[in-house]
Structures are given as C-alpha cells and as structure tokens.
Amino acid sequence: MTDVSKFQADIQRLLKHDRQANSGKSDFMRIAPDLQKLFARFTSLPETLANSVFEYWENEYIHNSSELENEPTSDHIEKLAAMLSFLEGDDDVDALADNDWTELADIVRYEADDLPMDSLQTLMSTLVSKGAY
C-alpha cells in the first residue's frame, strides 16, 4: 500500500522549495516535471500508466484552472492523491468524479497490455464498481 499522506507531504515540500527559490512565487510549469516523477515513483505500476494518469490530471485540472498561479491547489492535490490511491488499489478515492472514472477507465484500457494481470484485475474491479464500465 502507498502512503498517500507522504505523497501529499512531498508535494507540499516541493511547492515550498520552489517558492523559496523563486521569491515566494510558485509556477506549476516549473515544478511539473518533478511532480510527475514523484507521482510515478509512488506507484508500483508501469511508469507509462502513471504518466498517462498524471497527464490527464494536469490537462483536466491544472491547465483548465482560472487561477493557474495558485496551482496545484489543495483540491487538485487531493484529486491527484486519489488517483494514486486508485492505481495502488487503496480505497481513498472519494475525491474522484464520474468523468475522472470514465477517463481512468480509458487510460487503463489503453495501457492494459503492459500491466501485471493481478493489478489489471484490481483496477478493473474498482472501475466496474464506480460505474466506469
């Protein structure tokens, strides 16, 4: 099981260091590569799946934000943490909406050939229970 709390704390630490190094101003585009690597490091699944999920989160929640200078917000960090929980088979996925489940189902379907069978079964079971199939 993944320590999602540690993941969220590491994100906060990354944001803090970025602000300290840049006169108190954060810039998502500056931290995005490190955040994506952090996300991939916290999952036991193939990096291609983690990267696809991260890219969905980034496009859906960050690039569509009206407050890009404040990204990632705590709500968006919670969404990303919930996506990590989903990938790791944890139950802390309440932050995800129906459209997230639909997109995650598409991503898993696309990456299915590269996933270990037991992981794929766990992911599919969760997706079915959430009505994504």
Side-chain angles (χ1 to χ4, degrees):
M1 294 282 175
T2 298
D3 187 353
V4 175
S5 312
K6 179 166 178 9
F7 172 68
Q8 290 174 303
D10 286 354
I11 292 173
Q12 293 301 331
R13 196 170 7 269
L14 181 65
L15 290 168
K16 177 184 173 186
H17 289 292
D18 181 61
R19 282 190 301 271
Q20 286 175 339
N22 294 286
S23 304
K25 295 186 185 210
S26 187
D27 180 352
F28 177 78
M29 296 312 291
R30 196 170 41 235
I31 65 162
D34 291 335
L35 188 54
Q36 186 169 6
K37 287 176 193 167
L38 180 68
F39 184 75
R41 227 180 14 249
F42 265 84
T43 184
S44 59
L45 296 174
E47 190 172 332
T48 56
L49 177 62
N51 288 340
S52 294
V53 170
F54 182 88
E55 288 169 13
Y56 161 69
W57 169 82
E58 182 178 20
N59 290 327
E60 182 70 17
Y61 293 102
I62 304 303
H63 295 305
N64 286 328
S65 175
S66 60
E67 301 178 28
L68 195 55
E69 67 279 358
N70 296 322
E71 291 297 343
T73 64
S74 60
D75 287 345
H76 294 161
I77 291 171
E78 187 177 335
K79 289 268 189 192
L80 187 60
M83 290 178 191
L84 178 62
S85 291
F86 161 68
L87 292 178
E88 292 304 301
D90 296 340
D91 294 330
D92 191 15
V93 294
D94 294 336
L96 301 178
D98 289 344
N99 63 313
D100 294 323
W101 290 115
T102 302
E103 187 63 30
L104 289 171
D106 288 344
I107 293 169
V108 168
R109 186 174 28 253
Y110 182 78
E111 299 286 345
D113 291 342
D114 297 327
L115 298 175
M117 188 54 72
D118 58 333
S119 297
L120 179 59
Q121 288 175 330
T122 301
L123 294 172
M124 294 301 284
S125 175
T126 301
L127 290 166
V128 167
S129 75
K130 297 298 181 181
Y133 282 111

